[in-house]
Amino acid sequence: MPSQPFQDDGVVLETARPKVKPPKRYQVVLLNDDFTPMDFVVDVLTRFFGMDEAKANTVMLAVHTKGKGTCGVYSREVAEMKVMQVNQYAREHQHPLQCEMEVV
Ligand code: TYC
């Protein structure tokens, strides 16, 4: 049995500080325009954002009336991919639909 059972060899213990911040999140938004057909926007929302028909209709009408609307919130990489896919799909179909991402 040592004479000093709590001898710590001079080691100083400090409370650990968190070294990393949680990663930022990004919302993917659709912008309204006067030319993209409503049916096409509903197709985009079901195809790329996993919405059912009813939810896609609600979001499409919100974008149509308010000018802009959120499709979902993702990591930067996933949000970038969705924006690229939606804009490419819209161009392939000759629609001016615009999709963007914004940090939350
Ligand atoms: N405003 C379009 C129309 O009346 C429909 C529309 C909705 C377009 C949402 C884009 O992000 C959009 N045909």
Side-chain angles (χ1 to χ4, degrees), residues 36-62:
T36 304
M38 290 184 172
D39 284 354
F40 184 80
V41 179
V42 171
D43 173 34
V44 163
L45 291 168
T46 56
R47 186 180 293 267
F48 296 104
F49 299 97
M51 295 181 197
D52 63 25
E53 204 78 6
K55 172 81 177 164
N57 252 296
T58 303
V59 172
M60 182 279 293
L61 286 173

Side-chain angles (χ1 to χ4, degrees), residues 16-95:
R17 282 177 300 153
K19 292 184 190 66
V20 288
K21 291 191 217 132
K24 292 187 175 114
R25 307 280 290 164
Y26 296 82
Q27 56 184 4
V28 174
V29 299
L30 278 186
L31 307 185
N32 187 36
D33 66 73
D34 293 337
F35 305 101
T36 304
M38 290 184 172
D39 284 354
F40 184 80
V41 179
V42 171
D43 173 34
V44 163
L45 291 168
T46 56
R47 186 180 293 267
F48 296 104
F49 299 97
M51 295 181 197
D52 63 25
E53 204 78 6
K55 172 81 177 164
N57 252 296
T58 303
V59 172
M60 182 279 293
L61 286 173
V63 178
H64 175 70
T65 54
K66 295 178 189 156
K68 196 184 202 185
T70 302
C71 310
V73 177
Y74 306 96
S75 66
R76 181 163 56 81
E77 291 81 0
V78 172
E80 280 171 352
M81 189 181 65
K82 301 239 178 236
V83 167
M84 298 262 295
Q85 288 174 335
V86 169
N87 286 329
Q88 180 176 347
Y89 187 65
R91 299 301 93 79
E92 280 168 8
H93 290 81
Q94 283 86 49
H95 296 311

Side-chain angles (χ1 to χ4, degrees), residues 1-9:
M1 195 61 159
S3 56
Q4 293 173 292
F6 303 114
Q7 153 70 27
D8 67 3
D9 290 332

